[in-house]
Amino acid sequence: MPFNLPIALTWLRIAVIPVFVALFYIPESWVSVPVRDAIAAWIFIAAAITDWADGWLARRWKQTSAFGAFLDPVADKLMVAAALLVLLKLGRVDSLIALVIIGREIAISALREWMAQMGASASVAVHWLGKFKTAAQMVAIPCLLYKTSWHDVPIYVIGQILIVIAALLTVWSMFYYLKKAWPTIRDRA
C-alpha cells in the first residue's frame, strides 16, 4: 500500500468521522449547540477541502495510485453518509433525501465496481452531473449543520434549498450512469 501526503489526507478524512459524530453526543453543559454546530460545520468544510486537495496533490506530484483512487471516494461517501445521518437525527434533513443520496452512492459504487470487473469502467466515469451533485451537497451539508444565520444570511435555508437540488441531481446522475452502463449490462448479464 503506497503512503504519501494525498493518501494521508484521505486517511485523515476517514479518521475525523468518529470525532465529527462524537460532537453530537457531548452534553450541552460542556459545549453549547451553536458552538457544536459551528465546529461540526468547520470539520465538514475541512474534510471537503482535503477531498479536493488530496486529488489535486496526487495529480500534481504524480502520486496517483489504484489504492488512492479506491480510498478517496470511500472516504467521501463515509463522510457524507455520517453527516446526513447526524442531520437526520437532528431533524434537519428529510429521511427521503438522506435515503436517496446514500442509496445512490451505494448503488453507483457497486455499478462502478461491476463495470470495472467487466473492463468497462470508462462508461461510468465521473460526469459533470456527479460533480454538480457533489458540489451542491458539499455546500448544503455545512449550511444545515451550522443552521444559524450569518450576518442576516439565512444559511440554513440555503442549505435546505441546496440539499433538495443535490437530491434531484443525485437521481438524475444515477439514471445517467445507469443509461451509460445499460448496453454493457444488457450484453453481458
Side-chain angles (χ1 to χ4, degrees):
M1 171 181 76
F3 193 79
N4 52 41
L5 182 58
I7 288 177
L9 289 173
T10 304
W11 278 116
L12 178 63
R13 204 160 61 248
I14 292 170
V16 81
I17 293 169
V19 174
F20 171 82
V21 173
L23 276 172
F24 295 91
Y25 289 91
I26 295 174
E28 287 182 37
S29 60
W30 291 9
V31 62
S32 69
V33 170
V35 170
R36 176 205 68 195
D37 290 354
I39 292 169
W42 280 110
I43 288 174
F44 191 87
I45 290 167
I49 290 169
T50 63
D51 177 31
W52 171 83
D54 64 20
W56 183 80
L57 290 171
R59 287 184 298 276
R60 182 170 174 102
W61 294 346
K62 296 179 181 21
Q63 294 181 341
T64 58
S65 67
F67 181 72
F70 157 76
L71 191 62
D72 182 63
V74 169
D76 301 342
K77 288 163 186 37
L78 288 172
M79 189 68 190
V80 168
L84 287 172
L85 291 173
V86 164
L87 289 169
L88 188 60
K89 179 182 181 291
L90 296 172
R92 297 183 192 174
V93 71
D94 187 76
S95 58
L96 180 60
I97 288 175
L99 178 64
V100 163
I101 292 172
I102 295 170
R104 180 263 190 204
E105 295 301 339
I106 294 168
I108 296 304
S109 292
L111 178 66
R112 284 193 172 126
E113 169 98 15
W114 190 38
M115 297 301 285
Q117 288 177 359
M118 290 193 276
S121 58
S123 64
V124 287
V126 176
H127 185 263
W128 64 267
L129 274 171
K131 290 184 182 281
F132 282 149
K133 181 268 310 174
T134 299
Q137 75 188 17
M138 292 302 196
V139 174
I141 289 171
C143 290
L144 294 170
L145 287 166
Y146 185 61
K147 194 177 179 184
T148 309
S149 291
W150 181 69
H151 297 288
D152 296 327
V153 175
I155 300 294
Y156 183 70
V157 174
I158 293 168
Q160 288 178 315
I161 293 167
L162 286 174
I163 203 70
V164 169
I165 291 169
L168 294 172
L169 289 171
T170 293
V171 172
W172 186 7
S173 67
M174 183 176 73
F175 282 117
Y176 171 82
Y177 291 125
L178 288 171
K179 181 182 173 190
K180 294 293 282 182
W182 183 248
T184 305
I185 293 169
R186 184 186 60 227
D187 293 344
R188 297 188 185 180

